[in-house]
Amino acid sequence: MIFNTLIVEKKEGILSVTLNRPEVRNAFNAELIADLTGVFTREAAAADVRVVVLSGAGEVFCAGGDIKWMKEGFNHSHGQNLEEARRLAVMLQTINET
């Protein structure tokens, strides 16, 4: 499976998830957050998955938040920023609990 922001492969009970935004050091943006949440909700939670390997393409695993994405937040309402923060929290919780 290939997403815009992830490379996902499953073989013999091992799910490999690679953050695939090396041009920005695999920094989080809304799309990466949604993709990771979806993969861990659907694929990593599958009964035939025993191990999940999470890695990053390029030289850096993950630089944190994408600066461009974060700057866009200045133009959003408080409610929109709160919703973005909730999506990030849900992603982290999903990864942690899967």
Side-chain angles (χ1 to χ4, degrees):
M1 292 168 262
I2 298 179
F3 299 81
N4 287 332
T5 65
L6 299 174
I7 299 170
V8 181
E9 299 171 328
K10 184 163 53 170
K11 185 178 181 181
E12 298 177 11
I14 300 171
L15 182 69
S16 297
V17 180
T18 304
L19 307 181
N20 193 28
R21 300 184 73 225
E23 69 282 357
V24 291
R25 298 181 174 223
N26 300 312
F28 291 123
N29 66 0
E31 185 177 16
L32 178 57
I33 290 168
D35 287 349
L36 272 173
T37 302
V39 165
F40 273 83
T41 299
R42 291 183 301 275
E43 301 299 326
D48 62 336
V49 172
R50 296 184 331 259
V51 175
V52 178
V53 177
L54 181 60
S55 62
E59 297 181 11
V60 176
F61 167 65
C62 181
D66 184 321
I67 297 295
K68 181 180 175 187
W69 173 63
M70 292 169 58
K71 282 182 180 179
E72 291 171 2
F74 289 124
N75 298 318
H76 295 163
S77 69
H78 173 75
Q80 289 170 313
N81 282 318
L82 188 59
E83 186 56 36
E84 287 288 325
R86 285 185 180 134
R87 287 187 192 113
L88 176 61
V90 167
M91 179 202 74
L92 294 170
Q93 181 178 11
T94 302
I95 290 171
N96 184 55
E97 293 178 353
T98 300

